[in-house]
Amino acid sequence: FDTTYDDCWLRYERVDDSKLAPYRERLSHAYVSEGAPELGAVRAELRRGLEGMLGRELHLWQHPPRSVDSFLVIGHPEEMRPIHQTIDPDEVWDLHEDGYVIRTVEWEGHECTVVTAPSDRGLVYGTFHLLRRVALGEPIDDLDVVEEPANNSRIINHWDNPFRRSVERGYAGQSIFDWERLPDVRERYYDYARLLASVGINGVVPNNVNTGIPSRPTANDAVSERAGWQLLERDNLEKLEALASVFRRYGIRIYLSVNYAAPIKLGGLETADPHDSEVRQWWQDKVDEIYEIIPDFGGFLVKADSEGQPGPYDYDRSHAEGANVLGEAFEGHDGRVWWRAFVYSEHDDRAVQAYEAFEHIDGEFHDKVTVQIKNGPIDFQQREPVSTLFGAMPETNLGCELQLTGEYTGQGVHATSHIPMWKEVLEFDTYADGEGTPVKDVLAERDGQGIAGVGIVGEDPSWTGNHLLQSNLYGFARLCWDPDLESETIIEEWARQTFGRDEEVVDTVSEILLDSWQACIDYHTGGLGLMHMMYNGEEALENHYDPGPEEWPEYIGATADGIGVDRTSEGSGYAAQYRDPITERYDDPETCPEELLLFFHHLPWEYELEDGRTVIQTLYDNCYAGVEEVRELRAKWESLEGVVDERRHRHVAERFDEHVLQARRWRDRLCEYFYEHSGVPDEKGRVPQA
Ligand code: GCU
């Protein structure tokens, strides 16, 4: 890595002398297949990783090195001698194309560590897996690893505004993608690709879903009148190919966010009506042109009929009609269309809208279309119920959209781990196919599906604004690969690779991250299912960061007699969009989980909860608890002074100071608001009475 930015979890720190021998014995000599660009990446990574960790030069051979007892072999089955004589090629060819096998075998008296896979990308993943084992200090003497990803597509959606280099909802500086300088490529693209490939990401959308000129310019904007929709122009496609060529080395495919009105804006047509034959032809020609330039192009991402973006509603067509014209253009190409379900307009309850727009057209989407659904029905709030659509569209390819960047969870400042939240979403039982159909299974069911994450990185040396937030990038990718992994496991392996093998550091960092989500919920919401209480300021960085409960009263439902929004079957009807018995569970305040209670119910301030406390007192208590929790996180981090290197320690410590202040501001503003509406004083006398 360039010294101007952090190397995140790919630090490759030297293994302790006392533990070196078994690794050096097996990993000092390697015989690696050649040819594909990915194999160049494999060799470069082995050198960097093994030389860093084992402290001596790696010997790369053109043939199996018979003069040494033990060596590493990386290649496809059949291609290389030690492999095909010891591992049944069919076992490998039968794997998912991104899968791999790592196995210790004996060959003509040599002990070989074999990494093999059905594709070049699989070899990249297998190599990173092996390096991770060494970085984690795990044994490698008797390996038998067979890995396959649960989700076929594992994509990062950058909300980067090309030409301006700003990032919508990005809190880590400018966009790393420099369109003015492309096709010149930056070293940082390679390092970003390495980070992504090391955890199995296989797709990147480099531009914002809002493809116009940003309506909310940020401090990082380098003003330009050019906008994301122009990336479909030929010279920009050539620049895109330069980017694609970097990512390709790491098995990552490039996609594009496109504007639904492109046939008008770029093609000079009078309409973008999906039923118009010229429009069809335009999209077909455009897609064919892209594949001529970028043969492994991944596909399109589309935000249509949402927050001012054009879409099929402009022509009275449904989302299926709208998406299918694009989907058809991908017939015969290995790519697809990711069509976002984030659609809402003026309505009494925004939560019901995505379902109303999409559920009735289940089965009408082209096979080359995937409907990409945000995890919850509102918008990446601190905690939301899981979107009803995951259980409602069995005939459609579905993707889940998660947010890595912390738009509502403390932005680039608060060290809020999203990993436990994502786990909750993925484990949620949709009952789509009877009991035991969690979201993770719904997503893993078909090839045309997967998980997309709104990106978090920017030009900042930390990549993510706060060093601890690198864990969200790492954890997102690990969960896409294997949603069965536990939050604890993911966070611990991240901490070990990022901060070294000191157990005290690993334990403390893990505790901080594991507790951070609940703290975030408590001070931002009071913990009973309220949400969307933020300030909608002018400046990008205060927008959605500060408290502003008075701005969106309809999301809170505070009245003199109570609080919360009635989204039961009898109320807005949102709860009725779930399958039974979920509807039943949420409809009844007695069975509705407390953490979502006020999302589904409008209840009297003095409504008694299970532990005998009232709703209002619990809101006060949770807001106060949230601040205490953040203070504890900060104290834990402070205890690592002198143990973690000074630079990173100070960087994170400064952000914890701001975190505590901001948690207090939220607590004070929310408690004041609850008091204003309820008139019920805090039993503990903490909340000032007007
Ligand atoms: C939120 C967010 C916007 C974003 C939108 C989306 O509303 O605040 O910045 O464009 O989600 O997901 O499309």
Side-chain angles (χ1 to χ4, degrees), residues 532-684:
H532 214 280
M533 298 194 277
M534 69 290 176
Y535 174 63
N536 198 29
E538 287 295 310
E539 296 294 323
L541 290 177
E542 52 189 42
N543 182 271
H544 295 189
Y545 181 67
D546 291 337
E550 65 290 346
E551 293 206 38
W552 321 83
E554 69 276 23
Y555 287 92
I556 309 171
T559 58
D561 66 354
I563 186 158
V565 181
D566 183 358
R567 294 192 173 95
T568 61
S569 306
E570 304 294 305
S572 79
Y574 175 74
Q577 296 176 349
Y578 289 101
R579 296 190 182 241
D580 269 333
I582 311 170
T583 301
E584 232 171 286
R585 189 200 313 152
Y586 288 155
D587 263 348
D588 181 353
E590 296 296 315
T591 53
C592 179
E594 204 165 281
E595 64 271 14
L596 293 174
L597 195 57
L598 301 178
F599 183 84
F600 286 102
H601 299 274
H602 180 82
L603 296 172
W605 292 104
E606 312 263 8
Y607 180 89
E608 216 172 88
L609 300 176
E610 217 179 292
D611 65 1
R613 283 184 302 164
T614 59
V615 160
I616 177 66
Q617 191 56 41
T618 308
L619 289 172
Y620 291 145
D621 288 350
N622 287 345
C623 286
Y624 273 83
V627 176
E628 285 322 303
E629 285 152 11
V630 179
R631 287 208 176 102
E632 266 167 48
L633 304 182
R634 176 172 65 175
K636 283 185 179 161
W637 181 256
E638 274 168 2
S639 77
L640 296 177
E641 193 177 348
V643 191
V644 165
D645 56 279
E646 209 218 317
R647 191 179 52 83
R648 284 189 294 170
H649 190 271
R650 213 182 46 227
H651 164 107
V652 174
E654 282 166 0
R655 280 151 186 79
F656 267 125
D657 289 342
E658 157 74 12
H659 191 170
V660 171
L661 281 179
Q662 186 70 350
R664 277 175 39 201
R665 291 182 68 204
W666 272 86
R667 175 198 69 192
D668 292 347
R669 182 64 196 112
L670 294 191
C671 287
E672 186 184 52
Y673 180 83
F674 297 145
Y675 176 70
E676 277 162 20
H677 285 82
S678 67
V680 183
D682 169 30
E683 280 169 9
K684 297 178 184 148

Side-chain angles (χ1 to χ4, degrees), residues 173-193:
Q174 283 194 307
S175 168
I176 62 168
F177 300 116
D178 185 349
W179 287 86
E180 301 297 343
R181 276 174 42 201
L182 278 166
D184 289 349
V185 297
R186 311 174 65 203
E187 195 57 30
R188 196 157 186 169
Y189 302 155
Y190 287 97
D191 288 326
Y192 184 42

Side-chain angles (χ1 to χ4, degrees), residues 127-231:
T127 302
F128 276 113
H129 181 119
L130 183 66
L131 290 169
R132 179 161 69 231
R133 284 210 165 229
V134 180
L136 292 174
E138 292 170 357
I140 57 154
D141 56 329
D142 191 14
L143 291 175
D144 188 7
V145 175
V146 181
E147 280 275 343
E148 288 179 292
N151 293 289
N152 207 34
S153 291
R154 308 173 298 278
I155 307 177
I156 300 288
N157 291 180
H158 283 265
W159 284 1
D160 297 18
N161 301 310
F163 313 115
R164 291 190 163 234
R165 293 198 69 180
S166 56
V167 183
E168 177 156 332
R169 309 303 178 189
Y171 311 105
Q174 283 194 307
S175 168
I176 62 168
F177 300 116
D178 185 349
W179 287 86
E180 301 297 343
R181 276 174 42 201
L182 278 166
D184 289 349
V185 297
R186 311 174 65 203
E187 195 57 30
R188 196 157 186 169
Y189 302 155
Y190 287 97
D191 288 326
Y192 184 42
R194 292 176 49 231
L195 286 170
L196 297 183
S198 73
V199 277
I201 294 295
N202 64 359
V204 164
V205 186
N207 66 320
N208 194 351
V209 288
N210 292 315
T211 44
I213 291 173
S215 57
R216 197 180 297 106
T218 76
N220 298 311
D221 262 346
V223 177
S224 162
E225 291 311 311
R226 300 165 71 208
W229 59 267
Q230 285 167 302
L231 295 186

Side-chain angles (χ1 to χ4, degrees), residues 58-288:
L58 170 72
H59 297 273
L60 282 165
W61 295 83
Q62 306 285 334
H63 48 78
R66 289 173 191 271
S67 54
V68 297
D69 293 338
S70 197
F71 58 91
L72 172 64
V73 195
I74 302 184
H76 297 297
E78 277 138 6
E79 194 182 50
M80 298 164 82
R81 254 181 301 161
I83 304 181
H84 72 80
Q85 288 166 9
T86 51
I87 295 179
D88 174 9
D90 286 339
E91 180 191 351
V92 181
W93 295 122
D94 287 348
L95 291 176
H96 181 285
E97 70 165 321
D98 293 355
Y100 53 86
V101 174
I102 307 179
R103 193 166 290 158
T104 310
V105 300
E106 221 197 273
W107 176 74
E108 299 189 359
H110 304 269
E111 187 202 81
C112 303
T113 306
V114 165
V115 178
T116 184
S119 71
D120 298 325
R121 183 189 290 144
L123 295 177
V124 173
Y125 295 151
T127 302
F128 276 113
H129 181 119
L130 183 66
L131 290 169
R132 179 161 69 231
R133 284 210 165 229
V134 180
L136 292 174
E138 292 170 357
I140 57 154
D141 56 329
D142 191 14
L143 291 175
D144 188 7
V145 175
V146 181
E147 280 275 343
E148 288 179 292
N151 293 289
N152 207 34
S153 291
R154 308 173 298 278
I155 307 177
I156 300 288
N157 291 180
H158 283 265
W159 284 1
D160 297 18
N161 301 310
F163 313 115
R164 291 190 163 234
R165 293 198 69 180
S166 56
V167 183
E168 177 156 332
R169 309 303 178 189
Y171 311 105
Q174 283 194 307
S175 168
I176 62 168
F177 300 116
D178 185 349
W179 287 86
E180 301 297 343
R181 276 174 42 201
L182 278 166
D184 289 349
V185 297
R186 311 174 65 203
E187 195 57 30
R188 196 157 186 169
Y189 302 155
Y190 287 97
D191 288 326
Y192 184 42
R194 292 176 49 231
L195 286 170
L196 297 183
S198 73
V199 277
I201 294 295
N202 64 359
V204 164
V205 186
N207 66 320
N208 194 351
V209 288
N210 292 315
T211 44
I213 291 173
S215 57
R216 197 180 297 106
T218 76
N220 298 311
D221 262 346
V223 177
S224 162
E225 291 311 311
R226 300 165 71 208
W229 59 267
Q230 285 167 302
L231 295 186
L232 280 176
E233 288 168 345
R234 178 139 201 135
D235 56 339
N236 286 324
L237 290 174
E238 276 155 13
K239 291 177 174 215
L240 191 65
E241 163 54 20
L243 207 52
S245 71
V246 172
F247 284 89
R248 182 177 296 134
R249 270 170 73 86
Y250 293 89
I252 299 165
R253 298 168 71 186
I254 290 285
Y255 296 64
L256 262 190
S257 289
V258 299
N259 189 292
Y260 201 72
I264 304 172
K265 286 171 177 271
L266 277 167
L269 302 186
E270 264 163 27
T271 177
D273 181 349
H275 284 189
D276 185 280
S277 58
E278 279 185 273
V279 169
R280 264 164 208 267
Q281 194 57 48
W282 189 86
W283 282 114
Q284 185 66 63
D285 292 346
K286 188 45 86 178
V287 170
D288 292 344

